[in-house]
Amino acid sequence: MFNTELIVIDETGIENNVMERAGKILKEGGLVAFPTETVYGLGGDGLNKESAKKIYAAKGRPSDNPLIIHISKFEDLGKIVKSIPEEVERLAEAFWPGPLTMILPKSEQVPYETTGGLDTVAVRMPSHPVALAFIEASGGYVAAPSANTSGRPSPTLAKHVMEDMQGKIEMILDGGSVEIGLESTIVDLSCEVPTILRPGYVTKDMLEKVLGEVALDQTTLDLNSQEIPKAPGMKYKHYAPQGELTIVTGESKNVIAKINQLTKEAYKRNDKVGVIATEETQSQYCAKIVKSVGKRRAEEEIARHLYAILREFDEEQVEVIYSESFEGSEMGQAIMNRLLKAAGHKMIKC
Ligand code: TXA
Ligand code: MG
């Protein structure tokens, strides 16, 4: 049991001795949660196998689910990968620091505990200034999954991290609300055609502009796929609220009618119901708890709010959740990918 210290970082906090203390914890094998532009990360020393074990224990995460190593400078990449192909340089130029994770063959420096036994390593350079300062202070290689208990929605506020990690880690750096709200795009560059294993803020179109042909791992969106996802983490039920979530898709007025009908049925069973709606539709639902994720066209706003809303439903002990669906063009794929996983792929078409 730790007495988890929560430190609020303002602009000047980055300069003072807080980062030095946080870095020291990591170098000595401890764990510190920190903000990134996507979600909060649970950091440990990426080159120390004991730290990886501690991360798995704190999250309650299966140890075959590999971690992402976060770096703060491109020059640091060489130490943890076998080689740096030219396309990696181009991707880094275009998207680093930022919400893109690359999978590459690992060097011997990276312990198998960090990569879940794989010969490849996931690497990302986040753009959040607190993350960059923290990585720098920690020796340059911070292994960090999202800082949630395995199976819960990823944390987008320090308070979410506190809910899941209090007593389990040494320190939480509170950098306020994150900017993006969904985990980074993962692209596998260890195979012939670069393949997206997890959709995110950096879309297929954006990657194709830099790389040419890019494939999308079919398991990321296909409802019926029996294949095992290539990112081991994507096979677990994930991001899930405690209530049973169902997505309803179709024309807006049909979706509203269907959700209202399902809500009435649930009330007859005495279930506590929550609805995930948009600004435009929220007034049209009969459920007592209706939450708007934002304006339907503002995909970035929807992405930023989704996980916090799922956690709010948990706090309110909602038993059944109905959600509108969000198949948009940009972040839409990432939003639907997370929502489908949270729903265990339960979707009603109407
Ligand atoms: O935005 C993010 O990526 C956040 C922040 C903290 O950086 N991190 C994050 O980590 O989402 P995590 O551990 O929650 O998700 C990492 C995903 C998992 O699905 C894991 O299976 C996959 O990346 N992954 C990691 N290493 C891999 C590898 N070598 N090959 C294939 N998939 C890998
Ligand atoms: Mg995660």
Side-chain angles (χ1 to χ4, degrees):
M1 245 340 232
F2 293 98
N3 186 6
T4 305
E5 199 179 349
L6 179 75
I7 298 184
V8 179
I9 311 278
D10 55 22
E11 299 286 295
T12 56
I14 300 178
E15 306 297 330
N16 69 25
N17 68 357
V18 167
M19 286 304 156
E20 223 169 276
R21 279 177 51 215
K24 187 158 176 281
I25 293 173
L26 243 74
K27 287 177 181 163
E28 289 171 355
L31 305 182
V32 174
F34 62 101
T36 82
E37 71 280 20
T38 58
V39 299
Y40 274 77
L42 172 57
D45 180 351
L47 305 183
N48 178 347
K49 61 181 181 194
E50 297 308 322
S51 300
K53 289 183 192 162
K54 283 190 197 166
I55 290 175
Y56 291 122
K59 274 182 73 81
R61 173 173 180 154
S63 58
D64 68 344
N65 189 356
L67 308 172
I68 297 173
I69 296 188
H70 296 68
I71 58 174
S72 61
K73 314 190 276 298
F74 189 75
E75 303 86 88
D76 290 346
L77 181 62
K79 184 171 171 183
I80 54 172
V81 299
K82 269 226 169 92
S83 64
I84 303 181
E86 183 258 340
E87 59 184 9
V88 170
E89 282 179 35
R90 273 187 285 138
L91 279 178
E93 179 74 26
F95 302 112
W96 278 1
L100 179 71
T101 296
M102 303 190 216
I103 309 277
L104 292 162
K106 79 172 193 72
S107 76
E108 282 173 10
Q109 303 286 323
V110 183
Y112 280 110
E113 282 76 3
T114 300
T115 66
L118 297 176
D119 287 316
T120 51
V121 62
V123 194
R124 172 162 116 79
M125 190 196 299
S127 65
H128 197 298
V130 175
L132 290 171
F134 168 63
I135 296 163
E136 190 73 38
S138 304
Y141 300 95
V142 176
S146 49
N148 51 288
T149 301
S150 189
R152 291 209 75 199
S154 296
T156 52
L157 292 170
K159 128 180 142 129
H160 300 154
V161 182
M162 204 59 175
E163 281 166 19
D164 287 9
M165 293 298 151
Q166 185 160 30
K168 297 180 180 164
I169 64 176
E170 282 87 340
M171 187 185 272
I172 299 170
L173 301 175
D174 180 351
S177 163
V178 302
E179 213 181 298
I180 294 177
L182 295 181
E183 303 83 348
S184 60
T185 304
I186 301 181
V187 62
D188 188 352
L189 298 164
S190 70
C191 45
E192 213 159 287
V193 179
T195 304
I196 297 172
L197 305 187
R198 180 173 73 182
Y201 181 87
V202 177
T203 60
K204 186 162 180 276
D205 277 359
M206 289 159 79
L207 289 171
E208 276 173 345
K209 288 208 177 90
V210 178
L211 291 175
E213 189 193 356
V214 174
L216 181 66
D217 182 18
Q218 279 314 309
T219 58
T220 57
L221 282 175
D222 185 353
L223 296 181
N224 304 312
S225 176
Q226 300 295 318
E227 272 177 59
I228 297 172
K230 293 195 189 73
M234 301 302 278
K235 74 175 179 252
Y236 297 105
K237 186 169 181 212
H238 222 139
Y239 319 113
Q242 280 147 28
E244 191 180 326
L245 170 62
T246 304
I247 304 163
V248 182
T249 180
E251 233 183 273
S252 180
K253 66 176 190 329
N254 297 342
V255 168
I256 294 166
K258 184 73 187 169
I259 290 182
N260 282 336
Q261 176 210 331
L262 291 166
T263 300
K264 283 177 198 149
E265 285 167 20
Y267 280 150
K268 278 189 202 142
R269 298 191 303 267
N270 272 328
D271 285 344
K272 191 164 183 185
V273 178
V275 172
I276 302 180
T278 51
E279 293 283 291
E280 294 87 346
T281 57
Q282 64 172 333
S283 65
Q284 297 175 60
Y285 290 101
C286 65
K288 290 190 200 87
I289 304 176
V290 179
K291 294 184 193 290
S292 165
V293 275
K295 292 202 188 69
R296 174 150 289 274
R297 282 176 191 276
E299 292 186 348
E300 294 187 5
E301 198 183 331
I302 294 172
R304 189 156 57 234
H305 294 151
L306 182 65
Y307 286 148
I309 285 181
L310 294 177
R311 279 181 181 257
E312 286 172 22
F313 283 135
D314 284 354
E315 257 170 51
E316 295 165 49
Q317 296 178 322
V318 166
E319 294 162 299
V320 189
I321 305 165
Y322 299 114
S323 177
E324 294 181 12
S325 96
F326 300 95
E327 301 101 335
S329 50
E330 309 268 309
M331 285 279 279
Q333 276 200 334
I335 296 167
M336 272 314 272
N337 168 265
R338 306 310 194 276
L339 205 54
L340 279 164
K341 291 173 67 53
H345 285 238
K346 272 194 304 300
M347 183 145 100
I348 296 174
K349 296 199 169 91
C350 61

